[in-house]
Amino acid sequence: QKEVEQNSGPLSVPEGAIASLNCTYSDRGSQSFFWYRQYSGKSPELIMSIYSNGDKEDGRFTAQLNKASQYVSLLIRDSQPSDSATYLCAVNRDNYGQNFVFGPGTRLSVLP
Amino acid sequence: DVKVTQSSRYLVKRTGEKVFLECVQDMDHENMFWYRQDPGLGLRLIYFSYDVKMKEKGDIPEGYSVSREKKERFSLILESASTNQTSMYLCASSAPTSGDTQYFGPGTRLTVL
């Protein structure tokens, strides 16, 4: 079983819509969860981190964590063409919290 | 801002050559990581280090070694490059004080001919 799973996409949404990206993980002991954005040919950059169950909002981005169901999601409101990228979900996999496993990423395309 | 730099953006080597990829971070981070990224396979951890002179194997260490002689520098070594090591190599660093967030360098696209 893969440790972190994401739909590979592409996920296409019209400009101004809400994009919903999902991630499931297998290790119940995971404590830290991250969403990274990666533009084509560039390195990943952090968008959000979340550590507690519930929602965490930062501008147009909302991360949602449900540890009981072992999923974490990212909502992007008012999607813009500049949001078109691959979104990587990362989960820590040891108690020290430093060692991540990344999901394969979901490619998002925001259509003007 | 955290800055992670990598020695080369693009690198072309021949099969059998010894290859050094250098990574330097300027935020005094304890932890450093080397990944490779391939289409359809995502980011895979090669080696990581939590301290100077310390190293741990990741998921795909075969064919690679690392060196961490100074806190800010983490080197990835391909002892004898092979064509299946053609990939994008990404270095990252983190610290507990930054919430374990990993910050990535720009990447090195290595082609082995």
Side-chain angles (χ1 to χ4, degrees):
Chain A
Q1 182 184 4
K2 290 185 179 178
E3 294 180 74
V4 179
E5 297 193 20
Q6 297 178 254
N7 289 328
S8 61
L11 172 67
S12 295
V13 300
E15 184 174 355
I18 295 175
S20 177
L21 305 164
N22 299 313
C23 171
T24 59
Y25 60 94
S26 59
D27 185 356
R28 285 193 171 276
S30 297
Q31 298 295 322
S32 306
F33 307 86
F34 304 83
W35 282 101
Y36 284 82
R37 177 176 62 199
Q38 187 175 25
Y39 292 113
S40 181
K42 302 292 187 183
S43 58
E45 55 180 337
L46 180 74
I47 300 176
M48 299 276 292
S49 58
I50 187 166
Y51 305 96
S52 303
N53 279 328
D55 294 0
K56 179 181 177 183
E57 189 173 316
D58 184 0
R60 295 186 296 113
F61 299 96
T62 299
Q64 300 174 318
L65 175 61
N66 184 323
K67 290 184 180 180
S69 299
Q70 295 176 246
Y71 83 77
V72 56
S73 62
L74 179 71
L75 301 178
I76 307 174
R77 290 183 299 282
D78 188 24
S79 295
Q80 301 296 310
S82 58
D83 294 326
S84 298
T86 297
Y87 290 80
L88 305 173
C89 173
V91 177
N92 81 303
R93 58 176 169 181
D94 62 35
N95 291 332
Y96 197 49
Q98 308 288 331
N99 189 339
F100 290 1
V101 59
F102 283 83
T106 297
R107 190 155 55 93
L108 172 67
S109 178
V110 180
L111 307 174
Chain B
D1 274 353
V2 174
K3 191 154 187 186
V4 181
T5 57
Q6 295 183 229
S7 51
S8 303
R9 192 74 178 90
Y10 299 93
L11 206 53
V12 179
K13 295 292 182 181
R14 297 250 176 228
T15 302
E17 281 193 77
K18 190 169 186 176
V19 181
F20 293 86
L21 302 181
E22 300 281 324
C23 175
V24 177
Q25 50 92 5
D26 67 357
M27 283 302 291
D28 203 33
H29 282 176
E30 290 84 355
N31 313 313
M32 298 188 75
F33 308 83
W34 274 107
Y35 296 88
R36 63 178 285 177
Q37 187 173 32
D38 302 286
L41 297 176
L43 277 161
R44 293 182 291 166
L45 182 63
I46 304 171
Y47 268 96
F48 59 101
S49 170
Y50 289 164
D51 202 352
V52 176
K53 296 194 185 292
M54 177 271 181
K55 60 184 178 184
E56 293 283 347
K57 292 180 180 178
D59 298 314
I60 51 164
E62 296 78 19
Y64 303 94
S65 62
V66 290
S67 172
R68 190 157 182 210
E69 296 296 321
K70 294 186 177 181
K71 190 175 184 180
E72 68 270 18
R73 188 180 300 268
F74 193 34
S75 302
L76 181 69
I77 303 155
L78 287 67
E79 294 289 342
S80 178
S82 63
T83 55
N84 63 13
Q85 292 178 310
T86 291
S87 186
M88 171 68 86
Y89 289 87
L90 290 159
C91 175
S93 72
S94 74
T97 52
S98 66
D100 304 330
T101 300
Q102 292 191 15
Y103 297 91
F104 285 84
T108 295
R109 183 163 295 281
L110 173 67
T111 301
V112 182
L113 302 175

